[in-house]
Amino acid sequence: MVHARTAVACFGEALIDFLGAPAAPGAARSFLAQPGGAPANVAVGVARLGGRARFVGMLAEDMFGDALLEALRAHGVDVAQVRRTAAAPTALAFVSLDAAGERSFSFYRPPAADLLFRAQDFDEAAFADAAVFHVCSNSLTEPAIAEATLYGMARAADAGALVSLDLNLRPALWPRDADPRPVLWRALALARLVKLSREELAFLAAGDEARVVSRLLDASAEAVVVTDGPAPIRWWTRARAGTAPTWPVEAVDTTAAGDGFVAGLLWRLTARGIGPGDLAAAFDDDAVREDLLLHAAAAGALATTRHGAFAAMPDADAVRALAGTRP
């Protein structure tokens, strides 16, 4: 069957989050294994919302790789572009939550299977129906996987896909004493849609946020979006800038909030048929932008109300219901 260009292809890492449970005094702490990984979360999020989602990446030939593949399939994600390797295990992340549901991570990576994907592992035909090619910075942390990521971004752009980048910066995954900014900027320069958190914008800006936004928009970016938890969303195009509201919710786990937000945004972009040449005009149109960001904010907010990553992604009915109210 030949599809129109509607697929959201998410490239990068899939890993296992071990979510820590509070321990009683004197008792050993327990952890619940949950499938996760930022681009995999976005793929599941898009699929849960009814979109066509594809995960592209390398999974280990171990019990966790098997579990990730099974979970992606179970959520309706296309896994035809998943590769497997026995050369490294699945990456692990141990997640602690504070009283407000804010998370902190302890990573066990490298070595990890997701870092072993190479440019030649892409199936060129996979770009043919991709409306969006989405990446995060965790596939930039080593030179070989960074080159594969940059190749995929460039190849997707050449094929007509909207290239999306959620920085999702995790400093603990980078080599000690390394400055990630040079390679981050190589990827940022290729993205049409850039999503940052407030902390990531501050990291890139070193005191000059306007310079960062200008640099992004002078490169390939048509829209830049910055989230800040429950605070208003900020957005920029070359012509306009503004803010958008979010919803107050009772957050229990913020692990996949940003991924839920991105999934909601990419879902609405593809549903509306907005491609790389239309993104700026979409954000400059008040009604269209409101629709895009209300659904994205609703998906992100709802993702904080459940534990886990894949398991926290909301369905379309829940997102539409929340987006239909005024925050």
Side-chain angles (χ1 to χ4, degrees):
M1 181 177 180
V2 177
H3 291 277
R5 188 178 287 279
T6 57
V8 176
C10 301
F11 172 75
E13 82 279 5
L15 51 78
I16 298 294
D17 290 325
F18 282 89
L19 183 62
R29 190 173 188 185
S30 61
F31 291 85
L32 177 65
Q34 300 261 19
N41 294 339
V42 173
V44 169
V46 170
R48 287 272 295 154
L49 291 167
R52 287 186 62 221
R54 172 177 301 135
F55 179 71
V56 184
M58 186 75 73
L59 298 182
E61 293 179 358
D62 61 15
M63 71 172 72
F64 295 129
D66 293 343
L68 285 164
L69 190 63
E70 180 180 344
L72 288 164
R73 282 181 176 145
H75 285 289
V77 176
D78 175 1
V79 294
Q81 305 303 319
V82 168
R83 308 293 178 242
R84 305 293 300 270
T85 181
T90 300
L92 307 178
F94 287 80
V95 186
S96 293
L97 301 175
D98 66 16
E102 285 295 330
R103 75 281 188 271
S104 59
F105 297 98
S106 295
F107 292 102
Y108 288 77
R109 171 187 184 258
D114 64 279
L115 297 171
L116 301 182
F117 195 100
R118 299 294 178 259
Q120 59 267 27
D121 292 316
F122 284 110
D123 181 344
E124 293 299 306
F127 296 107
D129 65 346
V132 175
F133 185 80
H134 175 70
V135 303
C136 302
S137 70
N138 295 336
S139 59
L140 299 172
T141 57
E142 293 187 356
I145 186 62
E147 291 305 318
T149 304
L150 297 169
Y151 170 84
M153 295 174 76
R155 180 68 187 83
D158 289 344
L162 190 159
V163 176
S164 164
L165 171 62
D166 175 7
L167 202 63
N168 196 49
L169 182 64
R170 300 286 181 261
L173 293 177
W174 291 78
R176 191 182 301 272
D177 300 325
D179 181 0
R181 278 170 279 218
V183 68
L184 293 179
W185 274 110
R186 289 181 66 194
L188 288 164
L190 295 174
R192 292 292 188 102
L193 173 62
V194 175
K195 186 268 182 190
L196 306 171
S197 68
R198 176 185 57 80
E199 296 85 356
E200 290 161 354
L201 177 59
F203 173 79
L204 293 172
D208 191 349
E209 292 186 353
R211 180 187 61 83
V212 171
V213 174
S214 295
R215 182 174 176 181
L216 291 168
L217 294 172
D218 286 343
S220 298
E222 294 182 39
V224 178
V225 179
V226 174
T227 59
D228 184 12
I233 300 156
R234 290 184 285 166
W235 61 268
W236 293 262
T237 67
R238 294 183 182 95
R240 299 186 63 188
T243 62
T246 61
W247 281 268
V249 294
E250 196 69 36
V252 299
D253 183 354
T254 63
T255 300
D259 303 326
F261 177 93
V262 172
L265 180 54
L266 298 183
W267 167 59
R268 290 308 295 161
L269 286 169
T270 54
R272 283 181 164 270
I274 296 169
D278 311 315
L279 185 61
F283 267 77
D284 289 339
D285 183 303
D286 290 341
V288 176
R289 182 187 63 255
E290 179 176 301
D291 173 77
L292 297 173
L293 293 181
L294 283 177
H295 284 85
L302 290 169
T304 72
T305 63
R306 297 177 64 184
H307 287 291
F310 286 16
M313 294 295 108
D315 63 22
D317 288 342
V319 169
R320 288 193 182 101
L322 184 56
T325 66
R326 288 292 167 187

